[in-house]
Amino acid sequence: GGRPTRIGPGALAQRRFVTLRSPDLSIVAQTIWSAYSATESALIAAHFGKASGGAGSVQLPDGPFEIRFGSAAVSSEMPQVPSTKMVQVNLKNDNTRLVRPRA
C-alpha cells in the first residue's frame, strides 16, 4: 500500500549507512559508495530513529562531519533535499555528499 514502512528500534539499530566517495553528483552511477563503520552507522540510526518530524542531524565523532536527514538534509552546496533524504556535510567547508542506507 501507500503507507510508509515503520522500522522498530531493534531493526533500526542494525541498519548500516553508506556515503558517496565523490561529491560529483553527475557521475553517481559510476561512483562507489563507502560504508560507515558499525559505530557510526549505529549513531546515525539512533538519531534518525528519534528525529523530530523526520528531520534532524548528528555530528560524527573524530571529524568535522555531520549527517543531516529529512528536511534538514541541505547545505549551501546542496540547497534542496536529495532523493536519499540524507547528506553528509563537512562543517569546515560545507562540502556535501549523499548518504543512504546500505542496500
Side-chain angles (χ1 to χ4, degrees), residues 21-54:
R21 280 191 188 171
S22 169
D24 184 351
L25 299 179
S26 67
I27 58 168
V28 169
Q30 303 170 24
T31 304
I32 297 172
W33 292 84
S34 296
Y36 288 102
S37 70
T39 301
E40 291 168 331
S41 285
L43 184 65
I44 295 167
H47 283 78
F48 182 75
K50 64 182 180 185
S52 173

Side-chain angles (χ1 to χ4, degrees), residues 12-92:
L12 189 58
Q14 300 301 314
R15 195 166 221 191
R16 298 292 296 269
F17 296 87
V18 295
T19 188
L20 283 174
R21 280 191 188 171
S22 169
D24 184 351
L25 299 179
S26 67
I27 58 168
V28 169
Q30 303 170 24
T31 304
I32 297 172
W33 292 84
S34 296
Y36 288 102
S37 70
T39 301
E40 291 168 331
S41 285
L43 184 65
I44 295 167
H47 283 78
F48 182 75
K50 64 182 180 185
S52 173
S57 65
V58 59
Q59 187 166 352
L60 297 178
D62 303 321
F65 302 108
E66 181 175 74
I67 306 300
R68 299 176 184 172
F69 36 88
S71 60
V74 294
S75 69
S76 64
E77 191 174 276
M78 190 178 296
Q80 293 188 329
V81 175
S83 62
T84 64
K85 298 190 182 348
M86 296 180 79
V87 295
Q88 172 187 288
V89 180
N90 183 321
L91 298 174
K92 290 183 178 180

